[in-house]
Amino acid sequence: ELSDGRGGHAQGNGCGRGGVSQPPFTLIGNPVSPYVRKILAICAVKGIEVAIDPITPFRGDERFSKISPLRRIPVWIEGDLTLCDSSIIAQYIEDTRPTPSVLPTDPKDRARARWIEEYAGTRLFDVLGWKLFFQIAIKPRILKEPMDQDLVEHARAVEIPETFDYLESVTPGTGFLFGETAGLADFSLAPAFLNARVVGVEVDAGRWPKLAGWLGRVERDTPLARLTAVAMAFMTTKVADQPAMMAEHGYVLADRSHDGGRAMRGPMSPT
């Protein structure tokens, strides 16, 4: 349980690190995470300012373990409420701040949008996140472990074409996934492609033209444009300098950090 109802943040004078006025909501998580960028994009659309504790994945302290039992980001803290999992957080934000909505109006399309969110967070991230970005970038650099080369090669040869083929079949040739305005489905699906790009995986526009065109629009014409720049900056910045980098990009830092200073696996972290 949280001692002050806000993830252990100080009561203080209502100001974040650097003396900036503290928003009433805290988001724990580093923008390198596609799930964190998803929530920040939704917040941008709805005009919600959050204080950010940009901890690096796997480096949460013991307090973090208590509020995020799977040791995963993002975590949303609002008063006495603490929520884990980006899908739960996104639904809560939509339920409590419904305007502007990030879901389509038609019930069938709303269900389809939630399916895309589910597919992005499970199958797509399993391939682009766990089997590629985690193996190539996270294990050697943060966990100091060798990557599983066979797993990476199978993902590149078999699983990427399979997932991209499916996404090509459900992606429109113009606009966004459900109309002319980007929403939950777009913000759930697009972020993982940046992490894949960092480890050498691009969407071949010749083979998957609709998917490549949609991704270009989302990364250029929505709040993900700014967040992509922030994530890229984080990937080339030392961990100790990342909070300052976040502030330089105009975000308010949380009063206290849940960074534990060393890497620790969660109970469901892959090998």
Side-chain angles (χ1 to χ4, degrees), residues 7 16 29 45 62 86 102 104 141 163 186 188 203 215 245 262 265:
V45 166
E62 292 303 320
S86 69
V102 292
R141 296 178 59 187
T163 54
D186 304 278
S188 300
V203 178
L215 182 60
M245 173 68 69
R262 62 185 180 90
R265 285 181 175 275

Side-chain angles (χ1 to χ4, degrees), residues 109 112-113 115-117 119-120 124 162-179 185-186 189 193 208-212 214 217:
D109 282 342
R112 293 184 181 109
W115 159 244
I116 292 296
E117 180 188 27
Y119 186 85
L124 184 66
E162 176 189 273
T163 54
F164 287 12
D165 283 348
Y166 170 70
L167 292 174
E168 178 74 8
S169 75
V170 298
T171 302
T174 60
F176 300 102
L177 290 175
F178 294 95
D186 304 278
L189 195 63
F193 287 95
W208 300 289
K210 290 190 295 181
L211 182 60
W214 161 81
R217 293 188 293 274

Side-chain angles (χ1 to χ4, degrees), residues 23-25 38-51 76 93-94 96-102 187 223 226 251:
F25 319 116
K38 165 188 169 181
I39 297 302
L40 287 174
I42 292 172
C43 287
V45 166
K46 292 179 176 289
I48 301 169
E49 186 178 25
V50 297
W76 177 272
I93 293 173
E94 179 70 11
T96 56
R97 299 156 185 88
T99 304
S101 179
V102 292
F187 300 144
R226 177 190 182 193
Y251 292 93

